[in-house]
């Protein structure tokens, strides 16, 4: 990738076209994506395994637990979701530990589009930028989780969620199109969904692009899909919907972080990463924090650059936090079940 010293003066589409050397059609994208270096799978797995063995000291663990909470997208994505369940989720997002006012809030609540208005209403004054201690509303869109819908439906799905007040959109790519080499289709859909994130006042909701890495088959495909999502305008690249196994894994997340690192070195533009699905314990989450810090630096451990997509993770982190504060775990009925 060519480097530039003026990242803020060049729009993402212009930069993508310059890097591609032509329009983002199948042939041009194939030439670019298949020209990326192949992934050393053995080396990637070994590096992830090494990072997963790192330990942290007690004072650092206290910091890490609070940081994990502040990076969580607390999620409910079930067909049986109700306004009442969303209100309960918001209450927990704003005040995770009712006995400890020093406990940080989560970064966002993540819901289906038709639940956005209920989440916004329940948040009230707590709604805001998670980097400033507020809680955002994220909505899944584009026929989540399968992505099997027409582009018109996907764009309407996105626009409806944004109009209802979503701050962030988590879209899914068309994995069938990607795996069959129709890269231009995937690029165009991401770019159009990005435009559908624009609000009436001209501001935009942040766009997270879900790759569903468990269906992409190879590390090389994950690198290509990550790069394609960034080229097309994604603000975040996200591993999974949580509905397909395997979901987030440390090697896959490390690979995506390396793609983001290379993009930043080439362009000066920072892209976020969101592992989602299967991260249930603070022990595992700390491994991800270490991996981010070692790959991109601690500056990436902020809500606008890194998130955990999770539902059950928060309770385990709270239990570990209480153990550090009081010397023992609380009873099983102390925390709400999400």
């Amino acid at each position: 990738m060519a480097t530039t010293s003026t990242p803020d003066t060049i729009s993402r589409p212009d930069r993508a076209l310059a890097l591609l050397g032509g329009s983002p059609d199948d042939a041009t994208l194939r030439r670019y994506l298949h020209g990326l270096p192949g992934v050393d799978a053995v080396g990637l797995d070994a590096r992830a395994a090494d990072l997963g063995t790192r330990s942290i000291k007690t004072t650092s663990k206290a910091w890490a637990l609070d940081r994990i909470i502040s990076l969580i997208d607390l999620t409910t994505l079930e067909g049986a979701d109700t306004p009442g369940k969303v209100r309960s989720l918001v209450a927990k997002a704003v005040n995770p530990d009712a006995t400890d006012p020093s406990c940080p809030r989560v970064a966002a609540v993540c819901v289906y589009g038709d639940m956005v208005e209920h989440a916004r209403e329940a948040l009230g004054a707590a709604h805001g930028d998670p980097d400033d201690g507020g809680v955002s509303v994220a909505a899944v869109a584009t026929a989540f989780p399968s992505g099997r819908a027409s582009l018109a439906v996907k764009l309407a799905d996105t626009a409806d969620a944004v109009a209802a007040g979503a701050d962030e959109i988590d879209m899914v790519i068309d994995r069938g199109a990607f795996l069959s080499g129709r890269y231009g289709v995937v690029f165009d859909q991401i770019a159009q969904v990005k435009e559908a994130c624009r609000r009436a006042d001209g501001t935009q909701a942040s766009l997270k692009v879900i790759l569903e890495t468990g269906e992409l088959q190879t590390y090389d495909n994950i690198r290509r899909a990550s790069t394609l999502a960034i080229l097309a305008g994604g603000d975040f690249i996200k591993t999974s919907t949580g509905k397909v196994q395997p979901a987030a894994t440390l090697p896959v997340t490390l690979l995506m972080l390396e793609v983001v690192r290379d993009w930043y070195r080439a362009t000066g533009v920072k892209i976020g990463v969101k592992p989602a699905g299967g991260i249930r314990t603070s022990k595992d989450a700390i491994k991800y924090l270490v991996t981010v810090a070692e790959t991109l630096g601690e500056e990436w451990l902020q809500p606008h650059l890194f998130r955990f997509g999770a539902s059950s993770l928060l309770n385990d982190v709270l239990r570990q936090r209480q153990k550090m504060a009081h010397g023992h775990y609380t009873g099983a009925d102390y925390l709400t079940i999400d």
Side-chain angles (χ1 to χ4, degrees):
M1 295 181 180
T3 59
T4 175
S5 59
T6 56
D8 296 331
T9 63
I10 305 174
S11 70
R12 184 86 65 82
D14 289 343
R15 184 180 291 110
L17 293 178
L19 291 171
L20 292 171
S23 61
D25 55 27
D26 286 346
T28 302
L29 287 165
R30 173 175 288 276
R31 182 172 61 251
Y32 183 82
L33 296 174
H34 286 257
L36 297 171
V39 178
D40 175 1
V42 174
L44 180 70
D45 288 339
R47 172 69 170 159
D50 177 64
L51 290 168
T53 64
R54 304 285 177 85
S55 60
I56 60 176
K57 297 179 180 179
T58 301
T59 52
S60 296
K61 184 176 180 180
W63 174 89
L65 293 175
D66 278 4
R67 185 52 55 102
I68 290 166
I69 294 171
S70 72
L71 297 173
I72 289 176
D73 283 1
L74 193 59
T75 302
T76 182
L77 297 170
E78 302 298 333
D81 285 345
T82 64
K85 182 177 181 180
V86 169
R87 284 192 290 270
S88 295
L89 191 77
V90 167
K92 185 165 185 175
V94 173
N95 191 13
D97 186 341
T99 69
D100 185 355
S102 73
C103 184
R105 295 169 171 173
V106 304
V109 291
C110 184
V111 296
Y112 277 111
D114 64 325
M115 293 288 114
V116 168
E117 62 177 312
H118 302 294
R120 280 293 300 262
E121 180 182 3
L123 278 170
H127 174 256
D129 185 345
D131 283 281
D132 294 328
V135 179
S136 293
V137 177
V140 295
T142 64
F144 177 96
S146 70
R148 310 309 310 177
S150 68
L151 178 58
V153 169
K154 292 179 179 181
L155 296 178
D157 194 19
T158 302
D160 284 349
V162 173
D167 304 291
E168 304 164 10
I169 294 295
D170 290 32
M171 71 165 288
V172 288
I173 67 167
D174 184 334
R175 283 87 76 190
F178 178 86
L179 290 169
S180 60
R182 291 179 290 147
Y183 301 136
V185 169
V186 180
F187 183 102
D188 184 59
Q189 290 194 2
I190 296 171
Q192 291 202 47
V193 170
K194 174 77 171 181
E195 186 58 31
C197 289
R198 191 177 302 278
R199 305 183 184 92
D201 63 2
T203 60
Q204 278 195 313
S206 178
L207 178 63
K208 307 190 197 88
V209 182
I210 307 171
L211 309 179
E212 198 67 288
T213 54
E215 293 183 341
L216 295 187
Q217 303 172 357
T218 69
Y219 285 150
D220 284 336
N221 275 344
I222 293 168
R223 172 175 279 176
R224 291 168 188 151
S226 298
T227 303
L228 180 58
I230 294 171
L231 284 168
D235 300 302
F236 266 74
I237 48 176
K238 177 179 172 180
T239 61
S240 323
T241 62
K243 307 295 186 182
V244 171
Q245 297 300 321
T249 67
L250 202 59
V252 162
T253 303
L254 173 58
L255 175 56
M256 293 167 65
L257 291 167
E258 290 177 346
V259 171
V260 166
R261 178 198 62 197
D262 294 344
W263 179 263
Y264 177 63
R265 288 175 176 173
T267 68
V269 175
K270 295 178 179 179
I271 302 297
V273 178
K274 179 180 174 180
I279 306 172
R280 297 184 176 89
T281 69
S282 57
K283 182 177 180 181
D284 285 340
I286 286 172
K287 295 177 183 179
Y288 283 84
L289 292 189
V290 170
T291 301
V292 173
E294 291 287 332
T295 308
L296 287 165
E298 288 189 16
E299 65 182 296
W300 243 265
L301 295 176
Q302 304 176 64
H304 70 282
L305 291 173
F306 189 75
R307 300 282 181 88
F308 291 103
S311 54
S312 59
L313 172 61
L314 179 57
N315 272 359
D316 187 74
V317 177
L318 292 175
R319 292 182 73 244
Q320 299 302 324
R321 198 172 180 275
Q322 292 156 6
K323 172 71 160 46
M324 291 193 70
H326 306 297
H328 59 83
Y329 292 112
T330 55
D333 59 349
Y334 178 84
L335 300 169
T336 60
I337 299 173
D338 302 316

